[in-house]
Structure formats: C-alpha cells, structure tokens
Amino acid sequence: MKKSIVEKPPDKSNGDVVFLKMSSRIFSTYPKYNFAYSVADPHTGDNKSQHESRDGDAVHGQYSLVQPDGSVRTVDYSADAHNGYFIGSLCEISRDANGPKHTE
C-alpha cells in the first residue's frame, strides 16, 4: 500500500491510504472510530442507547430504545464495501411485565 503526503484533498478512488499535511501535523484519512451513548431519563421515560465502530469501510453497531408501550426495540446493523448495508435483527422486542413507566 502506497503512502503519500499531500497538501490537497486526497483522491481515494485508487484505495491508497493518504495522509494530509496541515501545518506541522499529519492526519490520516483512514476512517476508524468507536463511539457509544445512552440516555435514561426517568422523568420523560426516554431510554435509548447506541454503540458503533468503524474500521475503514466496515461499520458495525447496535441501537435500542424503549417504545411508548414499554417494549424494547433493538437493532443490529453493519455496512461494508462488499455487502452493503445489512440489518441483522430488524426488531427484537421484549416487553416489560409491568408495562410502560412514565412519571410526571
């Protein structure tokens, strides 16, 4: 894999990893990250979470939320250059035996 230092936007069409030089710092344009968040608000009943990771063209993640009826919806997803976008479990629902919870 060829590496190059450039001072203009990279041409990623050839699949090379390109590094940008901005002032004296070097940044890689190769996308790689992990993130996660969650919300649990007892006042509004808003409960949700998501986590996702990316390594190059491959993205994998999951999100879930508590629906108004108290059920939990969980969705697993992935995407890459070879398979496109894929949803592993479109709707995995579990219900809380006590029903929805909402406080005012």
Side-chain angles (χ1 to χ4, degrees), residues 19-71:
F19 294 90
L20 298 177
K21 182 177 179 183
M22 298 177 183
S23 20
S24 62
R25 302 174 117 182
I26 295 177
F27 299 92
S28 172
T29 61
Y30 184 84
K32 186 169 185 172
Y33 63 81
N34 291 297
F35 83 88
Y37 78 91
S38 64
V39 174
D41 186 341
H43 179 70
T44 63
D46 187 14
N47 291 295
K48 56 190 167 194
S49 65
Q50 180 181 8
H51 64 84
E52 181 176 289
S53 62
R54 180 173 183 179
D55 190 357
D57 289 332
V59 177
H60 305 282
Q62 180 184 72
Y63 66 89
S64 66
L65 59 113
V66 177
Q67 300 188 136
D69 67 354
S71 61

